[in-house]
Every structure is written in structure tokens, then in C-alpha cells.
mmCIF file of all heavy atoms in Angstrom:
data_model
loop_
_atom_site.group_PDB
_atom_site.id
_atom_site.type_symbol
_atom_site.label_atom_id
_atom_site.label_comp_id
_atom_site.label_asym_id
_atom_site.label_seq_id
_atom_site.Cartn_x
_atom_site.Cartn_y
_atom_site.Cartn_z
ATOM 1 N N ARG U 130 -0.713 -1.011 7.346
ATOM 2 C CA ARG U 130 0.264 -1.802 6.654
ATOM 3 C C ARG U 130 1.725 -1.456 7.091
ATOM 4 O O ARG U 130 2.568 -2.402 7.279
ATOM 5 C CB ARG U 130 0.086 -1.740 5.034
ATOM 6 C CG ARG U 130 0.581 -2.849 4.294
ATOM 7 C CD ARG U 130 0.067 -2.840 2.904
ATOM 8 N NE ARG U 130 -1.422 -3.176 2.752
ATOM 9 C CZ ARG U 130 -1.992 -4.392 3.086
ATOM 10 N NH1 ARG U 130 -1.127 -5.408 3.328
ATOM 11 N NH2 ARG U 130 -3.267 -4.613 2.972
ATOM 12 N N LYS U 131 1.965 -0.235 7.269
ATOM 13 C CA LYS U 131 3.230 0.283 7.830
ATOM 14 C C LYS U 131 3.429 -0.279 9.137
ATOM 15 O O LYS U 131 4.468 -0.773 9.484
ATOM 16 C CB LYS U 131 3.338 1.811 7.830
ATOM 17 C CG LYS U 131 3.916 2.428 6.666
ATOM 18 C CD LYS U 131 4.057 3.896 7.024
ATOM 19 C CE LYS U 131 4.212 4.687 5.728
ATOM 20 N NZ LYS U 131 4.211 6.114 5.766
ATOM 21 N N VAL U 132 2.458 -0.039 10.083
ATOM 22 C CA VAL U 132 2.610 -0.484 11.462
ATOM 23 C C VAL U 132 2.746 -1.990 11.530
ATOM 24 O O VAL U 132 3.551 -2.567 12.352
ATOM 25 C CB VAL U 132 1.388 -0.003 12.333
ATOM 26 C CG1 VAL U 132 1.558 -0.481 13.768
ATOM 27 C CG2 VAL U 132 1.377 1.555 12.236
ATOM 28 N N ALA U 133 1.995 -2.790 10.655
ATOM 29 C CA ALA U 133 2.263 -4.261 10.718
ATOM 30 C C ALA U 133 3.624 -4.756 10.384
ATOM 31 O O ALA U 133 4.015 -5.734 10.789
ATOM 32 C CB ALA U 133 1.246 -4.883 9.693
ATOM 33 N N GLY U 134 4.390 -3.870 9.667
ATOM 34 C CA GLY U 134 5.785 -4.142 9.242
ATOM 35 C C GLY U 134 6.761 -3.709 10.381
ATOM 36 O O GLY U 134 7.992 -3.980 10.187
ATOM 37 N N TYR U 135 6.331 -3.116 11.434
ATOM 38 C CA TYR U 135 7.330 -2.663 12.369
ATOM 39 C C TYR U 135 8.121 -3.837 13.022
ATOM 40 O O TYR U 135 7.458 -4.955 13.382
ATOM 41 C CB TYR U 135 6.597 -1.932 13.484
ATOM 42 C CG TYR U 135 6.360 -0.500 13.183
ATOM 43 C CD1 TYR U 135 6.562 0.010 11.963
ATOM 44 C CD2 TYR U 135 5.737 0.458 14.098
ATOM 45 C CE1 TYR U 135 6.211 1.375 11.567
ATOM 46 C CE2 TYR U 135 5.399 1.683 13.789
ATOM 47 C CZ TYR U 135 5.613 2.175 12.512
ATOM 48 O OH TYR U 135 5.231 3.477 12.215
ATOM 49 N N THR U 136 9.387 -3.793 13.127
ATOM 50 C CA THR U 136 10.238 -4.824 13.688
ATOM 51 C C THR U 136 10.406 -4.571 15.243
ATOM 52 O O THR U 136 9.994 -3.580 15.754
ATOM 53 C CB THR U 136 11.538 -4.716 13.046
ATOM 54 O OG1 THR U 136 12.119 -3.486 13.251
ATOM 55 C CG2 THR U 136 11.506 -4.871 11.541
ATOM 56 N N ALA U 137 11.116 -5.531 15.895
ATOM 57 C CA ALA U 137 11.489 -5.356 17.321
ATOM 58 C C ALA U 137 12.248 -4.184 17.495
ATOM 59 O O ALA U 137 12.160 -3.424 18.500
ATOM 60 C CB ALA U 137 12.185 -6.693 17.716
ATOM 61 N N ARG U 138 13.222 -3.856 16.449
ATOM 62 C CA ARG U 138 14.078 -2.695 16.645
ATOM 63 C C ARG U 138 13.249 -1.382 16.681
ATOM 64 O O ARG U 138 13.395 -0.431 17.432
ATOM 65 C CB ARG U 138 15.034 -2.715 15.446
ATOM 66 C CG ARG U 138 15.977 -1.517 15.559
ATOM 67 C CD ARG U 138 16.941 -1.737 14.414
ATOM 68 N NE ARG U 138 17.932 -0.517 14.368
ATOM 69 C CZ ARG U 138 18.538 -0.065 13.282
ATOM 70 N NH1 ARG U 138 18.369 -0.629 12.190
ATOM 71 N NH2 ARG U 138 19.292 0.983 13.441
ATOM 72 N N LYS U 139 12.200 -1.368 15.777
ATOM 73 C CA LYS U 139 11.242 -0.258 15.735
ATOM 74 C C LYS U 139 10.523 -0.024 16.973
ATOM 75 O O LYS U 139 10.249 1.037 17.473
ATOM 76 C CB LYS U 139 10.375 -0.436 14.525
ATOM 77 C CG LYS U 139 9.316 0.792 14.368
ATOM 78 C CD LYS U 139 9.903 2.117 14.191
ATOM 79 C CE LYS U 139 8.836 3.133 13.861
ATOM 80 N NZ LYS U 139 9.442 4.554 13.615
ATOM 81 N N ALA U 140 10.060 -1.224 17.621
ATOM 82 C CA ALA U 140 9.390 -1.206 18.913
ATOM 83 C C ALA U 140 10.229 -0.634 19.919
ATOM 84 O O ALA U 140 9.755 0.164 20.746
ATOM 85 C CB ALA U 140 8.900 -2.604 19.209
ATOM 86 N N LYS U 141 11.518 -0.919 20.003
ATOM 87 C CA LYS U 141 12.381 -0.384 20.891
ATOM 88 C C LYS U 141 12.475 1.047 20.780
ATOM 89 O O LYS U 141 12.660 1.884 21.824
ATOM 90 C CB LYS U 141 13.801 -1.092 20.806
ATOM 91 C CG LYS U 141 13.808 -2.424 21.410
ATOM 92 C CD LYS U 141 15.252 -3.057 21.351
ATOM 93 C CE LYS U 141 15.271 -4.454 21.957
ATOM 94 N NZ LYS U 141 16.508 -5.139 21.680
ATOM 95 N N GLN U 142 12.606 1.570 19.537
ATOM 96 C CA GLN U 142 12.653 2.993 19.292
ATOM 97 C C GLN U 142 11.404 3.670 19.836
ATOM 98 O O GLN U 142 11.519 4.768 20.417
ATOM 99 C CB GLN U 142 12.678 3.335 17.721
ATOM 100 C CG GLN U 142 14.158 2.968 17.181
ATOM 101 C CD GLN U 142 14.121 3.116 15.633
ATOM 102 O OE1 GLN U 142 13.087 3.316 15.005
ATOM 103 N NE2 GLN U 142 15.305 3.068 15.057
ATOM 104 N N LEU U 143 10.239 3.173 19.560
ATOM 105 C CA LEU U 143 9.028 3.643 20.117
ATOM 106 C C LEU U 143 8.977 3.770 21.503
ATOM 107 O O LEU U 143 8.397 4.726 22.198
ATOM 108 C CB LEU U 143 7.825 2.913 19.577
ATOM 109 C CG LEU U 143 7.487 2.951 18.054
ATOM 110 C CD1 LEU U 143 6.401 1.927 17.612
ATOM 111 C CD2 LEU U 143 7.016 4.386 17.694
ATOM 112 N N LEU U 144 9.566 2.853 22.234
ATOM 113 C CA LEU U 144 9.539 2.822 23.738
ATOM 114 C C LEU U 144 10.417 4.054 24.253
ATOM 115 O O LEU U 144 10.436 4.225 25.538
ATOM 116 C CB LEU U 144 10.077 1.511 24.294
ATOM 117 C CG LEU U 144 8.969 0.345 24.072
ATOM 118 C CD1 LEU U 144 9.617 -1.007 24.416
ATOM 119 C CD2 LEU U 144 7.744 0.624 24.868
ATOM 120 N N LYS U 145 11.213 4.645 23.494
ATOM 121 C CA LYS U 145 12.079 5.692 23.825
ATOM 122 C C LYS U 145 11.401 7.090 23.409
ATOM 123 O O LYS U 145 11.930 8.163 23.808
ATOM 124 C CB LYS U 145 13.437 5.702 23.192
ATOM 125 C CG LYS U 145 14.274 4.561 23.629
ATOM 126 C CD LYS U 145 15.582 4.378 22.950
ATOM 127 C CE LYS U 145 16.373 3.230 23.373
ATOM 128 N NZ LYS U 145 17.538 2.802 22.578
ATOM 129 N N ASP U 146 10.238 6.990 22.862
ATOM 130 C CA ASP U 146 9.610 8.279 22.381
ATOM 131 C C ASP U 146 8.760 8.812 23.389
ATOM 132 O O ASP U 146 7.653 8.343 23.755
ATOM 133 C CB ASP U 146 8.678 7.858 21.123
ATOM 134 C CG ASP U 146 8.042 8.992 20.413
ATOM 135 O OD1 ASP U 146 8.007 10.105 21.088
ATOM 136 O OD2 ASP U 146 7.635 8.950 19.260
ATOM 137 N N PRO U 147 9.156 10.021 24.005
ATOM 138 C CA PRO U 147 8.306 10.597 25.116
ATOM 139 C C PRO U 147 6.940 11.073 24.604
ATOM 140 O O PRO U 147 6.188 11.484 25.499
ATOM 141 C CB PRO U 147 9.300 11.779 25.549
ATOM 142 C CG PRO U 147 10.043 12.112 24.409
ATOM 143 C CD PRO U 147 10.280 10.871 23.570
ATOM 144 N N GLY U 148 6.766 11.254 23.371
ATOM 145 C CA GLY U 148 5.497 11.724 22.776
ATOM 146 C C GLY U 148 4.311 10.801 22.788
ATOM 147 O O GLY U 148 3.151 11.148 22.626
ATOM 148 N N ILE U 149 4.599 9.441 23.118
ATOM 149 C CA ILE U 149 3.531 8.412 23.215
ATOM 150 C C ILE U 149 3.579 7.830 24.614
ATOM 151 O O ILE U 149 4.555 8.069 25.326
ATOM 152 C CB ILE U 149 3.686 7.425 22.070
ATOM 153 C CG1 ILE U 149 4.981 6.614 22.295
ATOM 154 C CG2 ILE U 149 3.684 8.114 20.744
ATOM 155 C CD1 ILE U 149 5.125 5.372 21.382
ATOM 156 N N VAL U 150 2.705 6.950 24.852
ATOM 157 C CA VAL U 150 2.729 6.213 26.136
ATOM 158 C C VAL U 150 3.776 5.058 25.940
ATOM 159 O O VAL U 150 3.540 4.206 25.123
ATOM 160 C CB VAL U 150 1.309 5.615 26.411
ATOM 161 C CG1 VAL U 150 1.332 4.690 27.639
ATOM 162 C CG2 VAL U 150 0.267 6.675 26.571
ATOM 163 N N ARG U 151 4.772 5.101 26.674
ATOM 164 C CA ARG U 151 5.848 4.227 26.557
ATOM 165 C C ARG U 151 5.693 3.017 27.372
ATOM 166 O O ARG U 151 6.350 2.651 28.370
ATOM 167 C CB ARG U 151 7.225 4.895 26.877
ATOM 168 C CG ARG U 151 7.552 5.949 25.918
ATOM 169 C CD ARG U 151 8.883 6.678 26.160
ATOM 170 N NE ARG U 151 8.660 7.549 27.308
ATOM 171 C CZ ARG U 151 9.557 8.415 27.879
ATOM 172 N NH1 ARG U 151 10.797 8.388 27.408
ATOM 173 N NH2 ARG U 151 9.279 9.125 28.828
ATOM 174 N N ASN U 152 4.682 2.160 27.026
ATOM 175 C CA ASN U 152 4.407 0.953 27.632
ATOM 176 C C ASN U 152 4.657 -0.143 26.703
ATOM 177 O O ASN U 152 4.137 -0.292 25.494
ATOM 178 C CB ASN U 152 2.882 1.013 28.050
ATOM 179 C CG ASN U 152 2.360 -0.283 28.727
ATOM 180 O OD1 ASN U 152 2.352 -1.328 28.026
ATOM 181 N ND2 ASN U 152 1.928 -0.279 29.958
ATOM 182 N N ARG U 153 5.565 -1.093 27.079
ATOM 183 C CA ARG U 153 5.928 -2.177 26.147
ATOM 184 C C ARG U 153 4.734 -2.990 25.627
ATOM 185 O O ARG U 153 4.658 -3.283 24.490
ATOM 186 C CB ARG U 153 6.867 -3.116 26.975
ATOM 187 C CG ARG U 153 7.486 -4.113 26.071
ATOM 188 C CD ARG U 153 8.558 -4.972 26.906
ATOM 189 N NE ARG U 153 7.915 -5.571 28.008
ATOM 190 C CZ ARG U 153 7.129 -6.659 28.115
ATOM 191 N NH1 ARG U 153 6.944 -7.290 27.086
ATOM 192 N NH2 ARG U 153 6.674 -7.144 29.315
ATOM 193 N N LEU U 154 3.895 -3.288 26.515
ATOM 194 C CA LEU U 154 2.695 -4.216 26.120
ATOM 195 C C LEU U 154 1.852 -3.462 25.138
ATOM 196 O O LEU U 154 1.265 -4.000 24.148
ATOM 197 C CB LEU U 154 1.813 -4.607 27.327
ATOM 198 C CG LEU U 154 2.615 -5.503 28.340
ATOM 199 C CD1 LEU U 154 1.744 -5.809 29.442
ATOM 200 C CD2 LEU U 154 3.062 -6.853 27.566
ATOM 201 N N LYS U 155 1.599 -2.098 25.342
ATOM 202 C CA LYS U 155 0.691 -1.263 24.458
ATOM 203 C C LYS U 155 1.377 -1.067 23.106
ATOM 204 O O LYS U 155 0.674 -1.202 22.126
ATOM 205 C CB LYS U 155 0.328 0.017 25.089
ATOM 206 C CG LYS U 155 -0.579 -0.181 26.288
ATOM 207 C CD LYS U 155 -0.975 1.181 26.911
ATOM 208 C CE LYS U 155 -1.829 0.993 28.006
ATOM 209 N NZ LYS U 155 -2.276 2.262 28.738
ATOM 210 N N VAL U 156 2.684 -0.913 22.994
ATOM 211 C CA VAL U 156 3.411 -0.722 21.862
ATOM 212 C C VAL U 156 3.411 -2.087 20.988
ATOM 213 O O VAL U 156 2.945 -2.126 19.784
ATOM 214 C CB VAL U 156 4.800 -0.314 21.992
ATOM 215 C CG1 VAL U 156 5.712 -0.409 20.675
ATOM 216 C CG2 VAL U 156 4.777 1.199 22.507
ATOM 217 N N ALA U 157 3.561 -3.230 21.698
ATOM 218 C CA ALA U 157 3.544 -4.553 20.962
ATOM 219 C C ALA U 157 2.169 -4.748 20.539
ATOM 220 O O ALA U 157 1.880 -5.354 19.501
ATOM 221 C CB ALA U 157 3.963 -5.631 22.046
ATOM 222 N N ALA U 158 1.164 -4.339 21.338
ATOM 223 C CA ALA U 158 -0.257 -4.564 20.959
ATOM 224 C C ALA U 158 -0.669 -3.802 19.662
ATOM 225 O O ALA U 158 -1.378 -4.315 18.822
ATOM 226 C CB ALA U 158 -1.224 -4.224 22.141
ATOM 227 N N ALA U 159 -0.155 -2.618 19.571
ATOM 228 C CA ALA U 159 -0.384 -1.753 18.355
ATOM 229 C C ALA U 159 0.074 -2.497 17.181
ATOM 230 O O ALA U 159 -0.600 -2.478 16.179
ATOM 231 C CB ALA U 159 0.263 -0.357 18.559
ATOM 232 N N ILE U 160 1.288 -3.095 17.165
ATOM 233 C CA ILE U 160 1.883 -3.747 16.042
ATOM 234 C C ILE U 160 1.101 -5.019 15.848
ATOM 235 O O ILE U 160 0.626 -5.243 14.668
ATOM 236 C CB ILE U 160 3.370 -3.997 16.328
ATOM 237 C CG1 ILE U 160 4.107 -2.738 16.380
ATOM 238 C CG2 ILE U 160 3.875 -4.908 15.219
ATOM 239 C CD1 ILE U 160 5.436 -2.851 16.988
ATOM 240 N N ARG U 161 0.766 -5.724 16.878
ATOM 241 C CA ARG U 161 -0.080 -7.038 16.690
ATOM 242 C C ARG U 161 -1.383 -6.681 16.068
ATOM 243 O O ARG U 161 -1.961 -7.379 15.276
ATOM 244 C CB ARG U 161 -0.104 -7.685 18.026
ATOM 245 C CG ARG U 161 -0.934 -9.024 17.908
ATOM 246 C CD ARG U 161 -0.982 -9.625 19.324
ATOM 247 N NE ARG U 161 -1.634 -10.879 19.186
ATOM 248 C CZ ARG U 161 -1.194 -12.021 19.529
ATOM 249 N NH1 ARG U 161 0.119 -12.149 19.942
ATOM 250 N NH2 ARG U 161 -1.770 -13.175 19.389
ATOM 251 N N ASN U 162 -1.954 -5.520 16.628
ATOM 252 C CA ASN U 162 -3.268 -5.247 16.186
ATOM 253 C C ASN U 162 -3.371 -4.711 14.689
ATOM 254 O O ASN U 162 -4.374 -4.989 13.957
ATOM 255 C CB ASN U 162 -4.015 -4.074 17.057
ATOM 256 C CG ASN U 162 -4.323 -4.645 18.366
ATOM 257 O OD1 ASN U 162 -4.238 -5.875 18.625
ATOM 258 N ND2 ASN U 162 -4.708 -3.777 19.286
ATOM 259 N N ALA U 163 -2.261 -4.115 14.264
ATOM 260 C CA ALA U 163 -2.236 -3.800 12.819
ATOM 261 C C ALA U 163 -2.288 -4.979 12.007
ATOM 262 O O ALA U 163 -2.854 -5.099 10.977
ATOM 263 C CB ALA U 163 -0.859 -3.019 12.494
ATOM 264 N N ARG U 164 -1.593 -6.097 12.362
ATOM 265 C CA ARG U 164 -1.510 -7.303 11.607
ATOM 266 C C ARG U 164 -2.872 -8.039 11.674
ATOM 267 O O ARG U 164 -3.387 -8.529 10.613
ATOM 268 C CB ARG U 164 -0.489 -8.297 12.140
ATOM 269 C CG ARG U 164 0.970 -7.625 11.987
ATOM 270 C CD ARG U 164 2.109 -8.490 12.656
ATOM 271 N NE ARG U 164 3.317 -7.839 12.514
ATOM 272 C CZ ARG U 164 4.462 -7.854 13.308
ATOM 273 N NH1 ARG U 164 4.375 -8.604 14.361
ATOM 274 N NH2 ARG U 164 5.531 -7.253 13.051
#
């Protein structure tokens, strides 16, 4: 439920996080998959 509510701004923040795989398509997919 939290991830489904992530905004474009949150996605941009995630793409700056060195602790995860910073792949735009994978981050977008995680949010889409939550929904």
C-alpha cells in the first residue's frame, strides 16, 4: 500500500539511493507492481 502511493518525486529519490539497483525501469516497475 505504501509503495503503491509512491509519487514521481519519490521514484527520483529512489534512483539516487546507492543501496538499491538504480534502474529507472525497475523502480517504476516496483511501484506499478505494488498497484
Side-chain angles (χ1 to χ4, degrees):
R130 208 159 289 288
K131 265 187 198 169
V132 178
Y135 283 3
T136 61
R138 183 175 176 208
K139 177 65 173 178
K141 282 183 185 174
Q142 288 174 348
L143 290 171
L144 290 172
K145 294 176 184 171
D146 186 339
I149 66 169
V150 176
R151 292 179 288 180
N152 176 296
R153 184 179 54 79
L154 295 176
K155 289 179 180 180
V156 167
I160 297 166
R161 182 181 182 119
N162 287 353
R164 294 170 184 157

